[in-house]
Amino acid sequence: MDLGQPNLPRSAVRDGLDRAPPADGAPATKPARTASVHGSARIHYVFSPDDDIRFTIDAEAAPYSRPLPGLPQGLPTDARGTVSFRHVVATGQVATAKARVDCLVTGGGTATLTAVVTRSDVGPVGERLGFSVSEGRAGEPDRLGFSWGVANVDPEKADEQGNVTAPKAGTCMAPAPFAPASRGGFRVRHAELPLQPAEIR
C-alpha cells in the first residue's frame, strides 16, 4: 500500500505528478477553492424530541497540514476549526462540549468532518467525534448527523460484561445526516480534494 497518497488511485497520482508547469508568461493559476462548513442550528433528534440540542460548526480545510506517523506530509482531508454543542434536557439538565476539527471532506452540499473533544462535561476529553452536514434543497431543512446519536457498535467485540462495544471514530467518519434542523442552518462550500503540493512530495 502506498501511504504517500492515501485513498487515491496510482494512475491519478501519476497524472498529477506528470503535468508540466505553466510556461513563463502564462496566466497565473487561480488560488484553489477551500472546502468549509459554517453555521449553527437547533436540531430535532427523534429519540429526544423535547430536548433543545444545538450545534455550531466552523470548519475549514487545511490539506497536508497535520503530519502523522508514516504520513509526514499529512492528508488531503486535514482541516482546522471548532465544533461546539449544547444539549438542554427537557428536565432542565444542561450538557456542553467543544472539539477541535481535524478532518473535513465535502461532496456538493454535503460534508463529513471529525473533531477531537477539548472540553466536555459529559464525555471524555480526547475522544474523536464524527459529524455530517447536508444543506437542504427546494425548501427542505438542513440536516446534521453525529456519531453518538445512532447505534455505533462493533458486533464482533464485547466488553468484560459481554456487552457490545462502540468503536472509535476514524478521521472524517460519520453517519448520514439523520437529524433535521428546526432552526438555523449550515453552509457547505465544496472543493475537490487536492494532490500534494510539489514542495512536500
Side-chain angles (χ1 to χ4, degrees):
M1 179 178 179
D2 181 3
L3 295 180
Q5 284 285 351
N7 302 324
L8 292 175
R10 184 168 295 277
S11 59
V13 176
R14 193 69 262 161
D15 289 345
L17 294 177
D18 288 342
R19 292 191 188 107
D24 291 342
T29 302
K30 292 182 179 180
R33 182 181 175 90
T34 302
S36 65
V37 178
H38 297 286
S40 182
R42 177 178 177 175
I43 64 160
H44 175 74
Y45 182 44
V46 66
F47 301 109
S48 302
D50 298 321
D51 294 0
D52 184 342
I53 306 173
R54 301 171 188 256
F55 290 83
T56 298
I57 299 176
D58 287 295
E60 295 271 350
Y64 305 107
S65 63
R66 302 173 63 84
L68 296 169
L71 293 170
Q73 77 283 357
L75 296 168
T77 52
D78 288 343
R80 56 175 172 260
T82 58
V83 177
S84 58
F85 44 98
R86 184 173 185 266
H87 185 166
V88 182
V89 181
T91 57
Q93 296 171 296
V94 180
T96 63
K98 189 171 185 178
R100 183 187 69 253
V101 174
D102 64 357
C103 188
L104 169 66
V105 63
T106 60
T110 64
T112 62
L113 60 140
T114 45
V116 178
V117 176
T118 56
R119 181 190 58 76
S120 175
D121 49 23
V122 290
V125 170
E127 181 180 10
R128 178 178 289 104
L129 305 174
F131 304 90
S132 59
V133 175
S134 176
E135 283 192 53
R137 303 297 188 199
E140 294 184 350
D142 293 352
R143 305 181 71 88
L144 182 137
F146 47 101
S147 57
W148 65 98
V150 290
N152 177 30
V153 299
D154 187 343
E156 306 302 324
K157 293 184 179 180
D159 60 19
E160 295 178 354
Q161 286 73 44
N163 300 313
V164 293
T165 59
K168 296 180 179 179
T171 56
C172 276
M173 296 293 100
F178 53 83
S182 58
R183 184 179 304 168
F186 301 96
R187 174 69 173 171
V188 177
R189 183 170 65 179
H190 170 67
E192 300 297 335
L193 293 173
L195 296 175
Q196 286 183 29
E199 60 269 20
I200 64 171
R201 288 181 189 138

